[in-house]
Amino acid sequence: MAQQEDVFKKIVSHAKEYGFVFQSSEIYDGLAAVYDYGQNGVELKNNIKRYWWDAMTLLHENIVGIDSAIFMHPTIWKASGHVDAFNDPLIDNRDSKKRYRADVLIEEELAKIDDKIEKEVAKARKRFGESFDEALFRQTNPRVAEQVEKRQKLHERFANAMNDNNLEELRQIIIDCEIACPVSGTRNWTEVRQFNLMFRTEMGSTADGAMTVYLRPETAQGIFVNYLNVQKTGRMRLPFGIAQIGKAFRNEIVARQFIFRMREFEQMEMQFFVRPGQELQWFEFWKQWRLKWHKALGLGDSKYRYHDHDKLAHYANAATDIEFEMPFGFKEVEGIHSRTNFDLSQHEKFSGKNIKYFDPELNESYTPYVIETSIGVDRMFLSVLCSSYEEQKLEGGDTRVVLHLPAALAPVKCAVMPLVKKDGLPEKAREIVDDLKFDFATRYDEKDSIGKRYRRQDAVGTPFCITVDHQTLEDGTVTLRERDSMEQTRVNVADLHKLIHDRVSLTSLLRKLA
Ligand code: GAP
């Protein structure tokens, strides 16, 4: 675990050193849980968004996109339940004056028990070697059984307290588990109270009577309130979907793990509107399809798992998360929810407008049911970055840091390098750049030794380096170096475009989903 934490620290500093992610307002000592994307980060992020957008809107003829405003009528957040229920339970330690999420303190306690169980299993695996029957050991070992029972009891108590919104019980669990403040080490806790996560601001001057508005905590509501506009103007028939990418804001209290939990972040959400009664079959479809989208990137199939929710929100009838194995464990990257007709019905009630869909086949009007797929751009970015990072030992004792980014997502697709800065090689290299730049993010680099230039490109994940040498001037060939294998092949300049395109285009990635 400690080793993984070290790797994570290295990834965070690599992200800064190579222009992927900077702390926001750094020269003013930063703003907690807010980050800026640098010159390479923004390209990687844009490529992730493009992959998602094209997968949704090009591959499904019944999905269209919108871009709704961040500010919306405040009643929308009343209708959606965010004003009353988008809360985190907070608790303060009186000695350290530090504030925590009560649910996170308890979840960490559960994770500690999980760790104990895994340690017992790992010890036994080492002791018994090849003959180790893990399933049997988990069932029969008394120490494991004791921890499993302890975990189950705690989990049940915790889930009930959360479901019943029982803040006193949450505090009591913290006391009973003897959870201490990591800073002061004491158990001198305040009461637990609810804290709404929405940022508020005011619209209009005070003289006019300013209105409290919220920075949207999810993009989904912009889709719900526009669904009938899109349906009517686009002459859409059920089932159909609306996709949106945009910023969302949450005043997160426990903001940790770099860009995993931010106060300003981006979501890619798609609401799929279906006939009532057909929602569970569409839920299954989207559950499979979204995992396929992730796996097509080739980051490693074993890094994903579903986490089906056994406790559902009152309006949902199925929900699952797609989790990705980050250096700090499996974590939610995407949520897929069958939200019934809850949101649309609420908007109908609060707006007083009829927003039912008229189904020409059934000749009746009804409120559609909705399947939602919701993925955080920044979490997706983090999963791509973490799984691509490698400190690779090379023959001869050297090491290189390389980002094995999926080629279609890489910020730079190819770098063109004259072997030396004379003899007409820079001019020839520029000529190649001028040809490739219309289709690929192409860099020109003539500084330092060729080895150093390769390392610089490896560190930002550039799939191809093209080296122009004296032979190029004679026979029109260059060396094409591939990032992961470091293999170099001699190819014709005239073939470069096709060779690169075949490997880096988004189309080849999208074709895997067809
Ligand atoms: N409309 C549904 C919705 O917003 P959510 O599970 O709260 O559901 C969806 O959020 C996704 O948004 C998460 O799976 C995660 O990837 C991302 N996300 C949520 N809160 C985030 C935060 N504070 N920082 C970064 N990403 C976040």
Side-chain angles (χ1 to χ4, degrees):
M1 204 62 191
Q3 205 184 354
Q4 286 296 80
E5 274 166 26
D6 283 351
V7 173
F8 189 54
K9 276 190 199 144
K10 284 184 186 171
I11 293 170
V12 174
S13 49
H14 187 86
K16 179 178 175 194
E17 194 181 338
Y18 286 92
F20 283 89
V21 182
F22 306 127
Q23 173 69 64
S24 156
S25 324
E26 197 185 353
I27 59 168
Y28 290 93
D29 298 330
L31 185 65
V34 185
Y35 291 90
D36 297 336
Y37 286 84
Q39 67 279 17
N40 287 315
V42 68
E43 299 290 349
L44 173 55
K45 198 175 178 212
N46 283 343
N47 292 337
I48 291 172
K49 291 194 273 185
R50 172 59 54 200
Y51 175 42
W52 184 87
W53 188 262
D54 285 356
M56 284 295 176
T57 63
L58 299 185
L59 302 190
H60 303 273
E61 58 185 57
N62 55 352
I63 298 183
V64 293
I66 62 162
D67 182 21
S68 69
I70 287 173
F71 289 131
M72 290 193 271
H73 195 287
T75 311
I76 287 175
W77 304 111
K78 192 80 190 145
S80 67
H82 284 82
V83 170
D84 297 319
F86 195 51
N87 298 322
D88 274 346
L90 294 192
I91 190 165
D92 290 8
N93 182 267
R94 290 198 182 94
D95 300 319
S96 67
K97 310 274 181 264
K98 290 275 171 202
R99 180 164 291 176
Y100 300 92
R101 266 175 61 178
D103 55 333
V104 171
L105 288 177
I106 301 169
E107 275 166 9
E108 284 171 354
E109 193 62 21
L110 286 165
K112 274 188 205 158
I113 305 177
D114 286 339
D115 265 2
K116 278 188 193 156
I117 297 171
E118 292 316 310
K119 271 193 192 130
E120 288 290 346
V121 174
K123 258 196 311 191
R125 189 181 295 120
K126 212 167 161 191
R127 202 165 58 235
F128 294 115
E130 296 266 295
S131 61
F132 182 53
D133 182 341
E134 185 174 325
L136 187 69
F137 179 80
R138 282 182 188 272
Q139 275 167 19
T140 53
N141 181 275
R143 277 189 304 275
V144 170
E146 190 190 326
Q147 293 300 331
V148 169
E149 194 189 337
K150 189 171 162 193
R151 191 192 190 288
Q152 267 168 358
K153 279 192 182 146
L154 178 57
H155 184 262
E156 198 179 321
R157 210 177 147 194
F158 172 50
N160 288 341
M162 289 297 283
N163 274 350
D164 302 344
N165 211 2
N166 187 340
L167 302 184
E168 263 173 45
E169 172 68 351
L170 282 178
R171 181 172 190 274
Q172 198 54 48
I173 296 175
I174 290 172
I175 307 281
D176 293 348
C177 290
E178 301 185 344
I179 297 174
C181 165
V183 177
S184 66
T186 70
R187 299 183 202 128
N188 192 5
W189 296 110
T190 61
E191 298 306 304
V192 177
R193 65 194 183 290
Q194 293 289 21
F195 174 83
N196 193 284
L197 295 184
M198 283 198 293
F199 285 100
R200 300 151 172 241
T201 186
E202 296 199 330
M203 188 174 265
S205 74
T206 336
D208 292 333
M211 172 160 79
T212 298
V213 289
Y214 302 96
L215 296 188
R216 66 180 177 198
E218 61 171 16
T219 61
Q221 298 303 324
I223 296 180
F224 288 125
V225 297
N226 275 300
Y227 107 95
L228 211 56
N229 284 336
V230 173
Q231 187 269 317
K232 286 193 168 147
T233 56
R235 301 158 63 86
M236 315 284 291
R237 284 192 175 195
L238 249 57
F240 73 91
I242 304 178
Q244 167 156 239
I245 300 179
K247 289 265 178 155
F249 305 83
R250 296 181 189 180
N251 196 1
E252 300 280 2
I253 299 310
V254 180
R256 262 186 293 166
Q257 286 147 340
F258 192 39
I259 55 171
F260 183 78
R261 198 176 297 285
M262 300 157 91
R263 297 201 164 108
E264 174 180 340
F265 57 101
E266 226 170 334
Q267 289 185 316
M268 306 189 280
E269 298 199 292
M270 195 278 298
Q271 315 291 326
F272 199 70
F273 300 89
V274 303
R275 270 189 197 160
Q278 295 186 347
E279 69 277 10
L280 291 180
Q281 93 200 35
W282 281 111
F283 172 77
E284 206 46 50
F285 171 85
W286 282 108
K287 186 175 158 179
Q288 305 298 334
W289 206 87
R290 289 303 305 145
L291 189 61
K292 198 167 158 187
W293 180 90
H294 284 276
K295 287 186 173 173
L297 287 170
L299 303 177
D301 287 4
S302 63
K303 287 188 177 286
Y304 300 92
R305 70 177 188 199
Y306 289 121
H307 170 229
D308 293 330
H309 296 202
D310 34 40
K311 298 263 183 240
L312 295 170
H314 62 97
Y315 52 81
N317 62 5
T320 195
D321 295 334
I322 295 179
E323 295 186 337
F324 187 82
E325 193 177 13
M326 304 275 188
F328 41 92
F330 272 94
K331 297 285 166 192
E332 174 192 339
V333 170
E334 171 157 5
I336 299 150
H337 302 136
S338 173
R339 299 179 66 112
T340 67
N341 61 0
F342 171 77
D343 302 85
L344 292 179
S345 303
Q346 286 290 98
H347 289 309
E348 188 151 44
K349 191 162 118 197
F350 279 75
S351 68
K353 306 270 165 29
N354 175 2
I355 54 170
K356 289 195 169 52
Y357 166 75
F358 176 73
D359 190 325
E361 279 167 43
L362 301 181
N363 200 25
E364 67 177 69
S365 295
Y366 53 81
T367 308
Y369 272 42
V370 175
I371 310 301
E372 167 182 81
T373 72
S374 174
I375 169 171
V377 179
D378 312 271
R379 283 195 193 173
M380 186 62 204
F381 183 107
L382 189 59
S383 64
V384 171
L385 194 65
C386 290
S387 54
S388 300
Y389 180 91
E390 189 191 8
E391 281 174 25
Q392 201 176 42
K393 292 245 177 303
L394 303 175
E395 277 172 32
D398 222 3
T399 44
R400 68 164 182 160
V401 174
V402 53
L403 290 187
H404 301 282
L405 295 174
L409 301 188
V412 179
K413 305 300 187 211
C414 54
V416 186
M417 308 168 173
L419 188 62
V420 288
K421 267 193 275 181
K422 55 181 185 181
D423 305 335
L425 301 190
E427 289 76 7
K428 184 69 198 165
R430 289 263 182 218
E431 225 177 80
I432 296 174
V433 172
D434 283 342
D435 179 43
L436 296 178
K437 72 182 180 191
F438 292 95
D439 295 300
F440 313 111
T442 310
R443 295 282 173 275
Y444 173 80
D445 191 2
E446 60 173 26
K447 252 200 229 136
D448 301 320
S449 71
I450 199 79
K452 273 196 185 154
R453 282 182 266 171
Y454 285 157
R455 293 288 172 278
R456 266 204 295 273
Q457 295 303 328
D458 289 343
V460 298
T462 306
F464 291 111
C465 289
I466 297 159
T467 307
V468 173
D469 55 20
H470 292 93
Q471 195 184 328
T472 312
L473 304 181
E474 286 161 24
D475 64 5
T477 63
V478 287
T479 52
L480 186 67
R481 173 191 181 265
E482 202 270 333
R483 177 195 67 199
D484 297 340
S485 64
M486 293 187 289
E487 245 171 46
Q488 301 188 19
T489 40
R490 198 89 208 162
V491 304
N492 279 316
V493 172
D495 296 333
L496 278 175
H497 194 283
K498 184 175 180 330
L499 283 168
I500 297 171
H501 180 269
D502 287 351
R503 286 288 307 282
V504 308
S505 83
L506 201 52
T507 316
S508 47
L509 200 52
L510 292 172
R511 278 193 191 284
K512 292 190 194 171
L513 304 175

